[in-house]
């Protein structure tokens, strides 16, 4: 492990966090990190309870919320989509936060519940019934369905038709369980129930789910000599009211309290966690004293109930089985450790069958197998989730680098002064990164190697990263933490192997993942200077697919009783069959009445049509330089499906131009009587014929290259603004050198001077800024509020300037997410 970056407060809190005030941290599947701080006001009287949210690609761009909680925040929980956040405090208040205008740096709370005066110790969203299992044994399989199998799992509560009901559940310090259900009309149903008849203090608790739709709560009063209790909770809705039923399950006593040598050595239980939210049969416990800790892993198993000797000699009844009971058995325990300050559990749903564990051990595939323990000396240990054997160690900046690996932790010389240690720790959703908040208010991000430091050959390393990229592609989770481990030399092979695996899937799955894989390739290609031009091509391909889909969706059949194929499908079929280079001859075969639209709609589409026309001209003018891999556009020159898509769009545009000439793309030609559309279609068709057969592509002939060489003298070739400059940190971390950042101060590119921020609008100063989705020029100094994608940097205006329905429908497609699937963040009007 190594430090990827460290973020510090621009203005430090006036006093450090006292040990009694917890820091809480949560990491979403969209790579958003939320954490809390408690800052004193100027009079040093009251604490302001803050929630801070960052996206990991722009960690300096922090959004701080004055949470409105009157007491210290004890829990933070993201939902399964990574777009909503729960916060709970020591006064029993629970708030649900959502994105304002779908921006990662704009949050508001509109819902909430409360258990007045009863501190919340555990919090969770109800389960939605979606569970995947990741099989390392099947990592070489060509079928995604075998690698990532859907596990039969019931939601915590279902609506009519089996749809999961949304809501959350909390456990309080007095032993209450509170459930809030979000009805489809937006109102909340809330109910509370005691975990058991004899309510007692609950110092620590955790929540897990079973495949049958039940909820399991683990609770302890904080004393290691007391039992750790488990309860089954069933939630239902009866007569429009929430109903909660609880049942006591088998409990356990920690092993360290029954060991005579350690009976009173670790008096307090400081950490209680289920190993995964979907596995209520494995639990992790940590008991501590002021000097050290011990960690135990327990498993719930079915065992035969021993029968009294009186009944041993009774003749058995046919079909009678031995009675079984559930009993907690200890799986493993550590030796005496330094004092544990924080625990982070893996979220990757790796299968822990014997076969999968053996393959993971043989191939050194470690993600999902290790959990992180942070210690008061500043170090972090990654230990195996079942055996608790150490897999990797990181010594923090405050820890002495001269320590020997075999030297006992308790005997090490502690550094002078106040040692920094992590008070909150979270693993990413692929377990390849670790975020922590220390007791000085600093945010740390660490890489976690997929092989946990073992030296592997290049093919095995690539296979590990490819396996996790495929997992993110199937689930829709963000893959930022995987990019931390991709070196520039790996990019080309990873992109090719990812494409090979994608092409092995069935057509239906390929269609579902078609845009997601293009976005993944684009973010990979940005990591190497040799492939950055391909990133531009992939982004342009995403926009082309979206424009093609939008324009085809406007076509309507002339009569209602039409055959199964839509006008868009018939257009594609005719354009594939008809290889004529004359655009008018292709157009004759189409039912032009299906293309009729009103003039205002056609005129409003001109900006998208212009982009298609400019792209065709740019690509054809680039053909003579096709040997240059570093030139944007190279990826299209051998891409038969994309060239065919452009050809279809040219035919549609030609027909619409007859209805409304003002919607046609504008070309600056040297001759007044030149038909630019016909010329470009003829050359485009010749280029498409060379590459439409992917298995046997042919080289463009000399006559085509000669004609393309003449294009710049016939038409003014546009300078395509393919992609904004990527201003994130992931491409700056490839050399594995730590970055030290400050909140509120954008990271500066090397050589620009310390005060020069990254320009996210354009490539060169003083040039036109582009709205990358509306294909509009915003001017040199835009005055409109804008938003940018956290992943690809695509920029678009926050407010729509359009009045027509066709353009509003286009813009609505990108309200929540960018073309690439990334989230939006608001950017300032002018970057100074």
């Amino acid at each position: 492990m190594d430090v990827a970056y460290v973020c510090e407060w621009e203005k430090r809190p006036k006093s450090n966090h006292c040990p009694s005030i917890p820091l809480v941290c949560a990491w979403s599947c969209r790579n958003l990190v939320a954490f809390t701080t408690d800052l004193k006001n100027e009079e040093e009287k009251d604490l302001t309870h803050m929630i801070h949210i960052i996206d990991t690609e722009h960690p300096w761009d922090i959004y701080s919320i004055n949470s409105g909680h009157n007491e210290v925040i004890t829990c933070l929980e993201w939902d399964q989509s990574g777009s909503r956040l729960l916060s709970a405090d020591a006064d029993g208040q629970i708030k649900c936060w959502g994105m304002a205008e779908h921006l990662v740096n704009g949050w508001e709370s509109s819902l909430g519940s409360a258990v007045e005066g009863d501190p919340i110790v555990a919090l969770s969203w109800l389960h939605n019934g979606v569970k995947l299992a990741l099989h390392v044994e099947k990592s070489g399989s060509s079928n995604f369905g075998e690698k990532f199998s859907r596990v039969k799992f019931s939601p915590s509560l279902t609506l009519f038709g089996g749809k999961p009901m949304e809501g959350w559940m909390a456990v309080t310090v007095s032993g209450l369980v509170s459930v809030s259900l979000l009805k489809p009309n937006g109102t909340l149903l809330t109910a509370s129930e005691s975990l058991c008849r004899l309510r007692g203090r609950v110092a620590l608790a955790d929540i897990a789910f079973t495949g049958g739709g039940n909820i399991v709560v683990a609770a302890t009063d904080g004393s290691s000599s007391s039992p750790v209790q488990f309860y089954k909770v069933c939630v239902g809705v009866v007569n429009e009211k929430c109903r909660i039923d609880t049942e006591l399950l088998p409990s356990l006593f920690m092993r360290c309290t029954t060991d005579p040598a350690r009976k009173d050595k670790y008096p307090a239980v400081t950490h209680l966690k289920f190993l995964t939210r979907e596995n209520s049969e494995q639990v992790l416990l940590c008991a501590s004293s002021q000097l050290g800790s011990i960690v135990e892993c327990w498993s719930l198993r079915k065992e035969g109930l021993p029968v009294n000797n009186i009944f041993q000699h009774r003749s058995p009844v046919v079909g009678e089985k031995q009675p079984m009971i559930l009993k907690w058995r200890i799986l493993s325990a550590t030796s005496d450790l330094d004092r544990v300050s924080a625990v982070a559990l893996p979220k990757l749903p790796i299968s822990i069958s014997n076969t999968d564990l053996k393959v993971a051990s043989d191939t050194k595939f470690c993600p999902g197998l290790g959990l992180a323990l942070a210690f008061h000396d500043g170090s972090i240990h990654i230990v195996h989730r079942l055996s608790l054997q150490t897999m990797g160690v990181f010594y923090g900046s405050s820890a002495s680098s001269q320590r020997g690996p075999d030297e006992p932790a308790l005997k090490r010389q502690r550094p002078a002064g106040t040692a920094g240690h992590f008070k909150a720790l979270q693993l990413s959703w692929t377990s390849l990164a670790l975020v922590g908040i220390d007791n000085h208010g600093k945010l740390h991000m660490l890489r976690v190697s997929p092989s946990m430091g073992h030296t592997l050959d290049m093919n095995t390393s690539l296979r590990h990263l490819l396996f996790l990229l495929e997992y993110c592609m199937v689930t829709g989770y963000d893959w930022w933490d995987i990019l931390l481990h991709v070196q520039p030399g790996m990019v080309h092979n990873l992109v090719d192997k990812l494409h090979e695996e994608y092409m092995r899937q069935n057509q239906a799955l390929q269609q579902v993942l078609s845009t997601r894989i293009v976005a993944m390739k684009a973010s990979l290609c940005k990591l190497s200077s040799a492939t950055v031009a391909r990133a531009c091509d992939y982004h342009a391909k995403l926009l082309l697919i979206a424009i093609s889909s939008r324009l085809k969706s406007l076509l309507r059949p002339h009569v209602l009783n039409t055959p199964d194929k839509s006008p868009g499908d018939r257009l594609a079929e005719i354009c594939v069959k008809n290889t004529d280079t004359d655009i008018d001859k292709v157009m004759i075969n189409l039912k032009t009445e299906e293309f009729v639209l009103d003039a205002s709609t056609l005129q409003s589409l001109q900006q998208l049509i212009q982009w298609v026309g400019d792209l065709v001209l740019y690509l054809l003018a680039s053909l003579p330089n096709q040997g240059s891999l570093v030139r944007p556009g190279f990826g299209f020159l051998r891409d038969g499906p994309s060239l065919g898509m452009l050809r279809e769009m040219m035919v549609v545009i030609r027909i619409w131009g007859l209805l409304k000439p003002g919607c046609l793309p504008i070309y600056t030609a040297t001759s007044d009587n030149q038909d630019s559309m016909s010329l470009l279609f003829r050359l485009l068709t010749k280029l498409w014929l060379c590459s439409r057969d992917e298995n046997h592509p042919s080289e463009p002939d000399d006559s085509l290259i000669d004609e393309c060489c003449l294009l710049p003298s016939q038409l003014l070739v546009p300078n395509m603004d393919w992609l904004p400059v990527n201003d994130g940190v992931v491409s700056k971390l490839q050399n594995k050198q730590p970055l030290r950042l400050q909140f509120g101060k954008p990271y500066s590119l090397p050589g620009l001077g310390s005060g020069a921020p990254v320009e996210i609008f354009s490539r060169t100063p003083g040039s036109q800024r582009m709205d990358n989705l509306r294909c509009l020029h915003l001017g040199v100094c835009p005055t409109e509020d804008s938003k940018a994608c956290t992943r690809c940097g695509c920029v678009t205006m926050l407010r729509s300037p359009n009045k027509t329905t066709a353009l509003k429908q286009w813009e609505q497609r990108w309200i929540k997410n960018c073309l690439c699937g990334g989230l939006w963040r608001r950017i300032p009007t002018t970057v100074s």
Side-chain angles (χ1 to χ4, degrees), residues 317-328:
V317 179
V318 177
E320 184 180 24
K321 295 181 180 179
Q322 182 184 12
M324 306 293 286
I325 61 168
L326 291 171
K327 196 167 185 178
W328 286 99

Side-chain angles (χ1 to χ4, degrees), residues 4 24 52 92 99 103 168 210 241 343 361 446 460 464 535 600 700 711 713 722 738 814 819:
V24 191
H52 311 279
M99 294 184 190
L103 299 171
W168 58 81
T210 67
K241 291 185 178 180
V343 177
S361 175
L446 293 86
T460 306
H464 289 174
S600 61
L711 267 181
S713 63
W722 292 83
W814 321 116
L819 277 167

Side-chain angles (χ1 to χ4, degrees), residues 273-277 282-284 297 345-346 371 385-386:
K273 297 280 186 183
F274 287 107
L275 283 182
T276 64
R277 275 286 159 92
Q282 288 181 337
V283 68
L284 186 83
C297 183
L345 296 173
L371 57 93
R385 58 186 285 183
L386 299 180

Side-chain angles (χ1 to χ4, degrees), residues 641-657:
S642 294
L643 293 174
M645 204 180 298
L646 284 169
R647 193 166 172 264
E648 294 168 17
M649 291 300 97
M650 294 288 280
V651 173
V652 173
I653 293 167
R654 182 73 164 190
I655 297 173
W656 284 346

Side-chain angles (χ1 to χ4, degrees), residues 262-336:
R262 296 191 178 100
K263 186 174 182 182
D264 300 316
K265 192 171 183 179
Y266 303 109
V269 179
T270 52
H271 298 88
L272 165 62
K273 297 280 186 183
F274 287 107
L275 283 182
T276 64
R277 275 286 159 92
E278 287 92 9
N279 186 356
S280 61
E281 298 177 355
Q282 288 181 337
V283 68
L284 186 83
L285 295 163
C286 175
S288 303
S289 67
Q290 290 296 320
L291 298 177
S293 299
I294 191 167
V295 178
E296 298 177 359
C297 183
W298 289 74
S299 177
L300 186 66
R301 296 176 181 176
K302 281 186 178 180
E303 295 185 358
L305 185 66
V307 182
N308 193 285
N309 292 334
I310 297 175
F311 305 101
Q312 289 289 350
H313 304 293
R314 182 176 63 88
S315 56
V317 179
V318 177
E320 184 180 24
K321 295 181 180 179
Q322 182 184 12
M324 306 293 286
I325 61 168
L326 291 171
K327 196 167 185 178
W328 286 99
R329 292 290 185 185
I330 190 164
L331 275 179
S332 53
T334 64
S335 55
D336 294 335

Side-chain angles (χ1 to χ4, degrees), residues 129-317:
V130 177
K131 183 187 177 186
L132 283 180
L134 185 143
H135 300 280
V136 184
E137 178 197 3
K138 303 285 187 180
S139 60
S141 171
S142 59
N143 187 351
F144 284 173
E146 293 180 1
K147 296 179 184 181
F148 320 109
S149 64
R150 179 76 179 264
V151 179
K152 188 177 180 181
F153 209 86
S154 298
S156 304
L157 189 62
T158 55
L159 295 165
F160 179 77
K163 181 182 178 182
M165 192 169 189
E166 294 183 316
W168 58 81
M169 172 181 168
V171 180
T172 72
V173 76
S174 70
L176 276 181
V177 55
S178 174
V179 175
S180 298
L181 303 177
L182 185 58
K183 295 174 68 175
N185 62 6
T187 59
L188 276 179
L189 285 179
T190 303
S192 298
E193 186 63 55
S194 177
L195 280 172
C196 61
R197 290 182 180 179
L198 296 175
R199 284 171 63 182
R201 178 176 181 267
V202 176
L204 296 172
D206 198 21
I207 301 168
F209 302 93
T210 67
N214 295 323
I215 305 166
V216 177
V217 174
T220 174
D221 63 5
S223 172
S224 60
S225 59
S226 300
V228 179
Q229 302 278 8
F230 295 85
Y231 307 91
K232 182 172 78 173
V233 180
C234 302
V235 181
V237 177
V238 180
N239 297 328
E240 291 296 313
K241 291 185 178 180
C242 180
R243 178 177 173 178
I244 304 171
D245 295 315
T246 61
E247 179 186 331
L248 191 61
L249 296 177
S251 58
L252 66 88
F253 281 91
M254 289 192 69
R255 171 67 63 85
C256 64
T257 60
T258 61
D259 183 356
R262 296 191 178 100
K263 186 174 182 182
D264 300 316
K265 192 171 183 179
Y266 303 109
V269 179
T270 52
H271 298 88
L272 165 62
K273 297 280 186 183
F274 287 107
L275 283 182
T276 64
R277 275 286 159 92
E278 287 92 9
N279 186 356
S280 61
E281 298 177 355
Q282 288 181 337
V283 68
L284 186 83
L285 295 163
C286 175
S288 303
S289 67
Q290 290 296 320
L291 298 177
S293 299
I294 191 167
V295 178
E296 298 177 359
C297 183
W298 289 74
S299 177
L300 186 66
R301 296 176 181 176
K302 281 186 178 180
E303 295 185 358
L305 185 66
V307 182
N308 193 285
N309 292 334
I310 297 175
F311 305 101
Q312 289 289 350
H313 304 293
R314 182 176 63 88
S315 56
V317 179

